[in-house]
Every structure is written in C-alpha cells, then in structure tokens.
C-alpha cells in the first residue's frame, strides 16, 4: 500500500526487499549511499546489503544514540559523500531510528544543495514520527534539533517486521506518539489505542495501528508542511514533555523521548480540561492509561521554576511566551494557546499529585 503526501510516498511494507527495490528504482541516481549507525549496521544492514538494487552502494556509519546527532557526525557524513563522489543526482537510504533519519535527511538535503533520500525507520518512534514529514536536523549548542531544514524524503518504507527487534521500553516510547495521534484525530482511534495491551503485544494489531497513526501525521503534514498552522497539532504533549525530558537529562535521570511525551500529555490534557473544556472522563481514561503504562516521573515543587524555564526556552514559542497546543475534545485541536505561570504551576500540581 502506498499513500501520497506532497513529494513523499509512504510504503506500508510487508516485504522490505521488494519495497526497497521499488523505491530505489523510482529514484533515478548516479551513486547510492546507505547511512546506518553502529547498531543498525550490525542488525539491519545485512537484511538489505545483498539486494540487486544495492549493487555498488557505499555504506556510511555514524555513532548510535542521540549524543551523536551532532555536527561532528554530520561532517563525517558530508566527508564520506564527498569521498564517494556524491552529486546532486545521488541517493541515500537512511536505515535506523530517528537520529539516523533526521541527520541523514539533513546531510542529503544540504550536500551540493541537496539530493534525494529514502527513510527506512527501524524503531517505532521513527516509524510513526521522525521519519515522516520532512523535519531533518541535528542537535547544536546543547539544544535538540537546533539546526535543520524541512525537506521530505522521496519514500518512507514502514516495515513493521522491525518491531520484533525492539525492547519493551522502545515500543512504549514510540507508542506515546501514536497516543498523541489518536488524541488529535478521532475517538475511535483514541479508544483503540487505550484498549491495546502493551504488556502482551499483538504485533499484527500494532502494525495495523502504525499504518493508521502514520496516516494521521501525513494528513496534517500535507496541509501544513512547514508548521505555520495546523502542524502544531503534532506538538501536543511536547511543551511540557520537552521540559520534563530536559530536566531529566540535567538531573541525570534520563528518560526515553516517548515517556516524556506521555507525561507531557498528562499535563497538557489537564490544561486542556481547565482552559478548553476537554472532557473530564476522557482526561481520566487517558491519564490512567499513561500512569499504568509509563509509570510516574517524580517531581517536587522545587523543580517547577526550572521546568517553567525550560518551557519558556522552547523553540516553538514567540517572544518567550509559552505556547501550547490544547484540545477541546478528541480531534478538536486548538493551536497557539498561551498559559500563565500560575496556570502552568497548577498543571504541574496535577501532574505531581495525580
Ligand atoms: N514531530 C512533530 C512533527 O513532525 O511536526
């Protein structure tokens, strides 16, 4: 199945080799590169390395994990592209999680002013979020995704067979973004997500829900590729979530991104209930699901100021006013909503006390 989105096509794949052959054949190129990190080079590259469409491919590898999503890794990729004779007509396949697809997309989009790339996400988080929608970039100056461009991949190949390789925490991390897509789309998808058992995962059903989830993101991105308006819906849970993630990093109790997003959803749905009338029963059900499946992130009142400071530095703000996406109900999105310090502290009280 292939879904069209601007210049990006998402292939829901049941046969990785076949999907990659198709995608590469539809991207005429002079030189082919494949970007992996040290983990996907070992675990995923062998799945595609021997394919006829990979003949003559040059592998570039960068360090795994977010700490390598930096200018040094990017520079290494540019150097390897130069050494390999890449031109504006070359093609790169990014095989990995969000770090590889973000950095690889940025490298391809900037080398000689840009050539085409294909994303093959290998984590749930990158399948449902990072690899789709054309946000590319690297961390810089201590800030996440500080430097980057909007530039869509030619193809995204979603092969849910990779889900078999993921541990429980990484499934839950990606699932939080799916939960967000449920809340911003419709009651039936939201209810399906809340009824899914994360303790005994049905991979077939999860795969079907991934396709629905990505379709939600595609629909929104196609209306607003560069986040001037409705794409801000995808930031639900992320203003508070990024602040929690940054605090966790600072206090050396690092959490996976999706866990912070799940906790951010608790905060921002509470704010939605207070400010926009989001229904109390739906708030309760969503909060219960998150607490049961993601646990809690303990904070004290002493950390409120620091969390508030992180929120005011969020790059989604204008003029230092904290900007939220709120919900009037499931699927009823309100963008560009601000909140006072008092309202934010009240939200943190709810998060802390439950
Ligand atoms: N991760 C949110 C977006 O792609 O807009």
């Amino acid at each position: 199945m292939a879904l069209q989105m601007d210049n990006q096509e998402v292939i829901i794949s049941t046969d990785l080799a076949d999907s990659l052959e198709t995608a590469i054949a539809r991207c005429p190129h002079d030189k082919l590169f494949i970007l992996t990190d040290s983990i996907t080079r070992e675990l995923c590259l062998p799945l595609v390395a021997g394919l006829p469409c990979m003949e003559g491919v040059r592998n570039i590898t960068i360090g795994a994990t977010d700490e390598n999503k930096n200018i040094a890794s990017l520079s290494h990729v540019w150097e390897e592209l130069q050494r390999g004779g890449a031109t504006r007509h070359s093609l790169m396949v990014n095989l990995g999680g969000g770090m590889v697809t973000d950095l690889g997309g940025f490298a391809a989009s900037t080398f000689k002013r840009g050539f085409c790339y294909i994303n093959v996400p290998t984590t749930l988080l990158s399948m449902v979020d990072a690899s789709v929608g054309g946000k590319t970039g690297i961390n810089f100056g201590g800030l996440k995704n500080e430097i980057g461009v909007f530039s869509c991949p030619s193809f995204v190949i979603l092969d849910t067979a990779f889900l078999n390789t993921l541990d429980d925490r990484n499934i839950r991390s990606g699932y939080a973004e799916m939960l967000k897509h449920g809340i911003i789309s419709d009651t039936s998808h939201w209810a399906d997500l809340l009824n899914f058992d994360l303790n005994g995962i049905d991979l077939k059903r999860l795969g079907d829900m991934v396709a629905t989830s990505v379709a939600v993101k595609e629909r929104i991105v196609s209306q607003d590729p560069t986040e001037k308006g409705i794409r801000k819906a995808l930031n639900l849970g992320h203003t508070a979530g990024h602040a929690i993630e940054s605090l966790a990093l600072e206090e050396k109790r690092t959490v996976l991104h999706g866990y912070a997003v799940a906790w951010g959803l608790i905060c921002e749905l509470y704010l939605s209930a207070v400010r926009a009338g989001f229904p109390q029963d739906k708030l309760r059900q969503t909060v219960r699901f998150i607490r049961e499946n993601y646990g809690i992130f303990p904070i004290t009142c002493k950390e409120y100021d620091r969390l508030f400071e992180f929120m005011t530095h969020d790059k989604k703000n204008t003029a230092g006013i904290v900007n939220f996406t709120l919900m009037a109900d499931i699927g009823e999105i309100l963008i560009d909503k601000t909140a006072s310090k008092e309202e934010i502290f009240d939200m943190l009280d709810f998060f802390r006390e439950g």
Side-chain angles (χ1 to χ4, degrees), residues 162-287:
F162 284 119
L163 296 177
N164 292 309
T165 67
L166 299 177
D167 63 22
D168 179 70
R169 280 159 38 79
N170 275 290
I171 293 273
R172 280 170 207 255
S173 181
Y175 198 83
E177 296 285 0
M178 294 173 67
L179 199 53
K180 177 194 79 181
H181 290 160
I183 295 166
I184 62 175
S185 59
D186 61 74
T187 308
S188 122
H189 185 39
W190 166 78
D192 279 350
L193 287 157
L194 289 197
N195 287 324
F196 186 71
D197 183 6
L198 279 170
N199 296 312
I201 288 174
D202 174 345
L203 279 172
K204 161 80 181 71
R205 197 163 155 232
L206 181 60
D208 292 344
M209 288 198 300
V210 165
T212 310
S213 192
V214 169
V216 171
K217 177 156 185 181
E218 286 187 282
R219 182 168 43 79
I220 289 177
V221 172
S222 66
Q223 291 168 53
D224 176 24
T226 55
E227 201 172 294
K228 302 280 191 296
I230 193 61
R231 184 167 182 165
K232 293 178 188 175
L234 298 170
N235 296 334
L236 179 71
H238 283 66
T239 304
H242 278 153
I244 292 169
E245 198 175 4
S246 303
L247 182 76
L249 190 65
E250 190 169 81
E251 294 181 348
K252 300 199 173 18
R253 43 177 180 149
T254 315
V255 296
L256 291 179
H257 174 69
Y259 280 67
V261 170
W263 295 321
L265 287 173
I266 293 183
C267 294
E268 295 180 20
L269 287 185
Y270 171 76
L271 194 58
S272 297
V274 172
R275 288 280 307 275
F278 185 78
Q280 288 290 340
D281 59 328
K282 291 176 183 159
L283 172 66
R284 258 194 311 275
Q285 290 175 66
T286 313
V287 169

Side-chain angles (χ1 to χ4, degrees), residues 260-333:
V261 170
W263 295 321
L265 287 173
I266 293 183
C267 294
E268 295 180 20
L269 287 185
Y270 171 76
L271 194 58
S272 297
V274 172
R275 288 280 307 275
F278 185 78
Q280 288 290 340
D281 59 328
K282 291 176 183 159
L283 172 66
R284 258 194 311 275
Q285 290 175 66
T286 313
V287 169
R288 190 184 320 122
F289 180 87
I290 293 172
R291 292 226 162 96
E292 281 172 10
N293 287 288
Y294 294 85
I296 55 161
F297 181 78
I299 55 166
T300 68
C301 313
K302 292 199 186 95
E303 285 151 318
Y304 284 14
D305 276 317
R306 191 66 184 128
L307 283 165
F308 181 70
E309 212 168 81
F310 281 126
M311 288 182 218
T312 56
H313 288 128
D314 195 301
K315 64 173 166 300
K316 300 185 293 294
N317 296 330
T318 23
I321 311 274
V322 187
N323 192 307
F324 289 94
T325 294
L326 299 181
M327 303 300 303
D329 201 339
I330 300 294
E332 289 182 29
I333 302 156

Side-chain angles (χ1 to χ4, degrees), residues 32-38 40-41 45 57-63 72-86 91-95 100 103-104 107-108 111 115:
L32 179 65
F33 297 82
I34 186 162
L35 180 69
T36 54
D37 64 27
S38 50
T40 58
R41 183 184 54 197
L45 188 58
V57 70
R58 198 175 166 116
N59 174 223
I60 305 174
T61 301
I62 50 177
S73 302
L74 178 65
S75 173
H76 172 68
V77 177
W78 281 331
E79 278 160 19
E80 287 299 308
L81 289 172
Q82 200 167 48
R83 197 167 293 134
L91 176 67
M92 187 150 78
V93 176
N94 299 318
L95 179 66
V100 169
L103 188 147
F111 189 85
F115 60 76

